[in-house]
Amino acid sequence: MTRRAEFEMGLFVVLQFMFMLSLWLCSLNFTASEGLIQTTSHNCWTVFAPLLANVMCCPQLDATLTITLGKASKETGLLALNRTQSKHCVSDLEKILVAKGASSKLRSICSLYSSNLTASSCPVINVDEFESAVDTSKLLLACEKVDPVKECCEQACQNAILDAATNITLKASEPLTDNSVRISDCKNVVQRWLATKLEPSQAKETLRGLANCKINRVCPLVFPDMRDISGNCSNELSNQMGCCGAMESYVSHLQKQALITNLQALDCATSLGTKLQKLNITKNVFSVCHISLKDFSLQGCLLPSLPSDAIFDQDTGISFTCDLNDNIPAPWPSSSSSSASTSVTIPALPAAASSQPGLYNEGVTRFGIFVLSLVLVILLS
């Protein structure tokens, strides 16, 4: 074999190896999603990440992955990665976020797996096949401009996504025992397609708005054993001081878990009240012990119910907006209704004043990195 032939053979092997390697490494262009990634790093900032996980961090991380993969599909024609590529991409994004100040534990905090970028059980990932199976005009009409308030009530975009996901599940050759799993996987594919049709900022607003509808429906707090409350608050509140002491201790423990929205606090108050009623505590101990909605969120900071992001400032570090609608009494659920939302109104923005200029402004407060040490003391106490 001549030297030229040996050279060409060697070059062929190298090129083949590089091609195979490209299939194993991440093909997503994270540089093009710099703005989204920056916002994600702020929302998932170091020790704040577990506190903001449910409301800011994980929803923004999911939106960033969805939009980035949607952008990539314009070149690849595919709305999902294979498992190997996904593994590399998740790893790469994690490294980028940590380098920008985000928590190094996002995999556990946000359940970030390599399957997040795959099709999972959804049978359709090809853009052309997707568009032939779905009424894309109807989908875009419902989702291109999502009102974050109306959507949670009317669910126009959510229903359109469900319809599209249901349609593409019909392409599956083998049925699943639980088809709801496949529909859920296909919803992710639908959202990736939507991201290709919207500007990144608009796609982020839509995805965060949809996520918020789910977030605000459920209390994210874990309720520990209530035997101390039960022992002190029974017998028609014969021991009011002991009952209120037990309530304050219990709620202060709940408060350490996370920063939550005002609507989530409403859900949590309803859940706690219902659990107490099941322990035969019939008196409104929330009213007797002056428990308010702010008591369910860390340091009394209730985050707005609409999507919001943490903000980085060179002087103060990371900060986020607290809603000062925080003196609303926690509602005691009526025996005829499992929800207190019908009897409680949270105003959009109260007129509030403060003697601490620089911390408060027009009804909201910036809860920032300068209280980080205090947060840590609370969490460790």
Side-chain angles (χ1 to χ4, degrees):
M1 183 181 294
T2 64
R3 286 189 176 182
R4 180 178 178 82
E6 288 178 346
F7 172 79
E8 290 176 346
M9 178 62 72
L11 181 60
F12 174 79
V13 171
V14 170
L15 291 175
Q16 190 176 39
F17 173 79
M18 292 177 65
F19 174 76
M20 293 300 295
L21 186 62
S22 69
L23 297 179
W24 283 71
L25 300 179
C26 179
S27 58
L28 298 182
N29 183 4
F30 289 121
T31 304
S33 300
E34 175 63 25
L36 290 167
I37 291 174
Q38 194 69 60
T39 300
T40 306
S41 68
H42 295 163
N43 287 1
C44 300
W45 190 266
T46 55
V47 294
F48 277 119
L51 302 176
L52 295 170
N54 179 263
V55 180
M56 287 188 194
C57 175
C58 301
Q60 177 61 28
L61 178 59
D62 289 342
T64 298
L65 287 169
T66 299
I67 295 168
T68 303
L69 184 50
K71 282 183 177 181
S73 71
K74 292 182 178 181
E75 297 181 4
T76 65
L78 300 176
L79 294 165
L81 302 179
N82 64 44
R83 190 169 292 275
T84 303
Q85 288 176 318
S86 179
K87 180 180 178 181
H88 283 288
C89 288
V90 167
S91 178
D92 287 354
L93 178 59
E94 190 176 28
K95 292 173 183 175
I96 293 170
L97 288 172
V98 169
K100 291 180 177 292
S103 170
S104 60
K105 299 179 180 179
L106 291 182
R107 287 183 184 246
S108 58
I109 292 172
C110 296
S111 300
L112 182 60
Y113 306 119
S114 59
S115 59
N116 290 41
L117 294 173
T118 67
S120 295
S121 64
C122 189
V124 175
I125 64 170
N126 183 279
V127 172
D128 292 336
E129 186 179 2
F130 176 94
E131 293 179 348
S132 66
V134 171
D135 186 342
T136 55
S137 298
K138 176 184 174 183
L139 179 59
L140 271 177
L141 183 63
C143 296
E144 62 183 350
K145 292 183 180 179
V146 171
D147 184 302
V149 176
K150 289 183 179 179
E151 176 60 31
C152 295
C153 299
E154 300 172 1
Q155 300 184 20
C157 180
Q158 294 169 76
N159 288 333
I161 289 174
L162 176 60
D163 289 344
T166 303
N167 284 341
I168 59 178
T169 59
L170 300 177
K171 296 285 187 178
S173 57
E174 297 179 3
L176 288 180
T177 304
D178 184 2
N179 198 49
S180 64
V181 173
R182 177 165 281 157
I183 290 176
S184 178
D185 291 337
C186 287
K187 281 183 180 179
N188 294 332
V189 172
V190 175
Q191 290 182 347
R192 293 168 194 168
W193 180 87
L194 272 174
T196 70
K197 301 300 178 182
L198 304 175
E199 290 297 319
S201 59
Q202 189 180 4
K204 179 213 163 188
E205 184 178 331
T206 296
L207 294 173
R208 289 289 302 278
L210 294 175
N212 246 51
C213 292
K214 297 178 183 178
I215 290 166
N216 285 319
R217 290 187 195 129
V218 181
C219 172
L221 304 182
V222 177
F223 296 96
D225 187 87
M226 300 179 185
R227 68 183 67 183
D228 194 35
I229 297 178
S230 178
N232 284 281
C233 297
S234 56
N235 300 322
E236 296 295 314
L237 286 183
S238 58
N239 181 10
Q240 182 173 324
M241 184 177 295
C243 175
C244 290
M247 281 296 302
E248 289 169 8
S249 175
Y250 188 88
V251 172
S252 68
H253 176 83
L254 288 180
Q255 189 186 85
K256 295 175 185 178
Q257 294 182 30
L259 287 149
I260 63 176
T261 71
N262 45 28
L263 291 180
Q264 285 180 319
L266 194 57
D267 295 329
C268 292
T270 302
S271 297
L272 178 57
T274 301
K275 291 177 184 294
L276 293 176
Q277 288 177 343
K278 290 179 179 179
L279 294 175
N280 295 320
I281 297 174
T282 55
K283 290 288 186 180
N284 182 352
V285 293
F286 291 166
S287 176
V288 172
C289 301
H290 307 291
I291 304 298
S292 63
L293 292 183
K294 70 176 183 178
D295 294 322
F296 290 88
S297 189
L298 183 62
Q299 290 215 319
C301 169
L302 288 172
L303 300 173
S305 57
L306 296 180
S308 60
D309 295 310
I311 299 170
F312 178 77
D313 183 88
Q314 292 287 352
D315 297 323
T316 60
I318 294 294
S319 63
F320 39 87
T321 301
C322 295
D323 193 333
L324 289 186
N325 297 314
D326 54 7
N327 290 317
I328 297 175
W332 185 253
S334 64
S335 57
S336 60
S337 174
S338 61
S339 173
S341 61
T342 55
S343 60
V344 176
T345 300
I346 297 179
L349 191 64
S354 172
S355 60
Q356 301 181 56
L359 294 183
Y360 296 89
N361 180 34
E362 297 181 1
V364 297
T365 177
R366 293 290 180 195
F367 183 99
I369 201 77
F370 47 81
V371 297
L372 178 56
S373 59
L374 181 56
V375 172
L376 290 175
V377 168
I378 290 173
L379 292 176
L380 294 173
S381 61

